[in-house]
């Protein structure tokens, strides 16, 4: 039996927080009261969550010289960064203004995340799982997804389409290669609208949206769907049935929900890896899936009660045993 190992092909960012009294308006120049630089990028966040959940994980991506600290930071947390290249451009960057009332505005600069790294002909045979988001070049995401199924045995593929790809890109995703789609409620609604070419009414229940999405032409019906619902928990649909799980109960107030979805995704993938379902993902039973979802909602509930993104992701042993 192979030791489960996940490849995350994704983004790394310098997240720069500028604290301001009010968000800057067009034409205005204002002082920031506090500056912080933190590690970010969905690829990095989700890779850290897998590592903290106890999984073996390699991150494949790129930074500029100004991101070498990120490589060291991630390596220290337990993410293998041997496949993170240092390229001749700036590291991806998120410029985040945070106002005193909690309101924020973000500018994303893709930088090295959109650098064209050489594409492989095949994925390394050590990988059992592949996790993708949408913060790197779309052509790379497409290729890796395709390659996951030309591996022998096939690699379990998980895709979190965030930020949402364009309509055109969605039409070019090799859906047949995808085992697990992870979306939040907004992403599920947008995907459903794109596939069905219908608009979805605001209060449409999520199981209805997911069923519509599954039944729409162009979507591969055997793909398992996990839809996170913020404080309402999660809804999952597999060809064997559905599961609705409430969010885990909180010990204290919600402090910061950024990164909750990435924490959920990382713990979910680590759960799949633990169950060693790489040879036959469809054999994961509903009770096994429910156990993985339960761990994932527990981890993300801890995450929302702490400040930060990567910093707020708990380790496996912080979860209720
Ligand atoms: P995203 O950050 O991608 O939009 P969600 O907001 O759906 O993702 O959150 C992901 C998961 O985090 C949820 O499924 C839930 O388990 C947990 N979560 C988010 N917000 C809360 C909350 N207020 N209370 C408890 N758990 C939460």
């Amino acid at each position: 039996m192979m030791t489960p190992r996940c490849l995350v092909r994704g983004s790394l960012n310098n997240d720069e927080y500028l604290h301001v009294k009010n968000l800057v308006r067009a034409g205005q120049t204002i002082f920031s009261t506090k500056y912080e630089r933190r590690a970010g990028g969905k690829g990095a966040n989700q890779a850290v969550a897998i590592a903290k959940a106890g999984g073996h994980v390699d991150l494949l991506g790129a930074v500029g010289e100004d991101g070498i600290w990120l490589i060291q930071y991630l390596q220290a947390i337990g993410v293998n960064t041997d496949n993170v290249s240092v390229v001749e451009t700036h590291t991806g960057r998120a410029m985040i203004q945070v106002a005193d009332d909690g309101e924020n505005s973000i500018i994303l600069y893709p930088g090295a995340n959109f650098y064209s790294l050489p594409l492989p002909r095949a994925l390394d045979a050590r990988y059992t799982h592949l996790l993708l988001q949408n913060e790197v070049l779309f052509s790379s995401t497409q290729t890796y997804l395709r390659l996951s199924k030309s591996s022998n045995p096939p690699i379990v593929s998980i895709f979190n389409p965030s930020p949402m790809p364009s309509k055109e890109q969605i039409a070019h995703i090799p859906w047949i290669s995808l085992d697990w789609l992870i979306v939040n409620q907004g992403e599920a609604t947008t995907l459903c609208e794109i596939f069905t070419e219908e608009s979805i009414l605001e209060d449409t229940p999520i199981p209805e949206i997911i069923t519509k999405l599954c039944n729409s032409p162009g979507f591969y019906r055997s793909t398992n769907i996990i839809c996170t619902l913020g404080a309402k928990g999660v809804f999952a649909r597999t060809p064997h049935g559905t599961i609705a799980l409430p969010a885990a109960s909180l010990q204290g107030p919600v402090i910061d929900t950024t990164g909750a979805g990435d924490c959920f995704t990382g713990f979910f993938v680590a759960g799949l890896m633990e169950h060693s379902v790489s040879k036959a993902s469809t054999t994961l039973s509903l009770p096994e899936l429910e156990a993985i979802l339960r761990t994932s909602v527990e981890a993300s509930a801890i995450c929302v009660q702490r400040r930060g993104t990567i910093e707020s992701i708990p380790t496996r042993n912080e979860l209720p045993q």
Side-chain angles (χ1 to χ4, degrees):
M1 169 73 66
M2 274 166 85
T3 304
R5 185 162 203 100
C6 184
L7 174 67
V8 179
R9 167 66 183 113
S11 58
L12 298 93
N13 279 341
N14 274 325
D15 280 1
E16 300 198 283
Y17 290 80
L18 292 156
H19 294 258
V20 291
K21 196 162 181 306
N22 298 298
L23 300 183
V24 69
R25 294 194 312 270
Q28 213 187 11
T29 302
I30 56 171
F31 276 112
S32 167
T33 50
K34 188 173 160 196
Y35 169 84
E36 292 168 284
R37 185 184 67 172
R38 298 199 200 136
K42 288 186 107 33
N45 296 345
Q46 295 183 6
V48 166
I50 294 175
K52 287 192 164 187
H56 294 289
V57 56
D58 289 11
L59 177 59
L60 193 158
V63 293
E65 297 273 346
D66 56 344
I68 290 175
W69 76 276
L70 279 169
I71 299 181
Q72 292 157 352
Y73 177 87
L74 295 172
Q75 189 78 41
I77 299 182
V79 174
N80 185 316
T81 54
D82 293 351
N83 294 319
V84 178
S85 307
V86 180
V87 297
E88 282 184 0
T89 186
H90 294 290
T91 301
R93 192 161 299 231
M95 296 285 252
I96 308 160
Q97 283 186 65
V98 187
D100 284 354
D101 63 2
E103 190 82 64
N104 67 46
S105 75
I106 303 176
I107 304 174
L108 263 186
Y109 172 67
N113 294 319
F114 275 17
Y115 189 88
S116 219
L117 294 171
L119 292 171
R121 285 175 185 277
L123 296 188
D124 192 316
R126 288 175 311 152
Y127 296 121
T128 55
H129 293 71
L130 169 74
L131 172 59
L132 301 161
Q133 313 78 24
N134 188 35
E135 285 187 352
V136 297
L137 283 181
F138 181 71
S139 52
S140 173
T141 304
Q142 262 180 321
T143 303
Y144 278 85
L145 198 47
R146 228 175 249 127
L147 289 177
S148 69
K149 289 297 165 279
S150 50
S151 280
N152 188 16
I155 291 173
V156 176
S157 58
I158 306 107
F159 180 38
N160 171 218
S162 177
M164 184 51 68
S166 66
K167 195 172 170 182
E168 158 92 24
Q169 288 173 333
I170 283 171
H172 289 96
I173 290 171
W175 292 102
I176 196 159
S177 302
L178 183 61
D179 297 306
W180 296 90
L181 173 71
I182 305 187
V183 283
N184 64 20
Q185 187 155 3
E187 291 155 358
T189 308
T190 307
L191 262 186
C192 184
E193 289 184 326
I194 292 174
F195 271 99
T196 58
E197 295 184 4
E198 281 173 23
S199 48
I200 303 288
L201 295 176
E202 211 171 286
D203 49 3
T204 309
I206 205 71
E208 209 175 294
I209 296 176
I210 300 293
T211 305
K212 264 179 189 269
L213 172 62
C214 280
N215 293 337
S216 56
F219 193 82
Y220 186 57
R221 291 185 63 140
S222 299
T223 300
N224 304 291
I225 304 178
I226 307 296
C227 181
T228 63
L229 305 169
K232 292 198 180 129
V234 62
F235 178 78
R237 183 191 184 281
T238 79
H240 310 296
T242 61
I243 298 173
L245 216 61
S249 49
L250 305 180
Q251 308 301 314
V254 173
I255 305 282
D256 180 354
T257 59
T258 48
D262 291 339
C263 174
F264 180 97
T265 298
F267 269 77
F268 181 77
V269 173
L272 289 181
M273 291 165 70
E274 242 174 72
H275 276 77
S276 291
V277 291
S278 55
K279 311 295 176 303
S281 61
T282 46
T283 61
L284 186 71
S285 69
L286 281 182
E288 282 170 331
L289 174 59
E290 187 173 330
I292 297 174
L293 292 172
R294 205 169 284 285
T295 306
S296 311
V297 296
E298 276 163 1
S300 41
I302 295 178
C303 183
V304 302
Q305 293 174 87
R306 298 175 176 174
R307 207 168 296 286
T309 306
I310 279 188
E311 304 79 1
S312 63
I313 301 171
T315 56
R316 183 74 174 86
N317 56 20
E318 286 180 85
L319 268 56
Q321 297 305 314

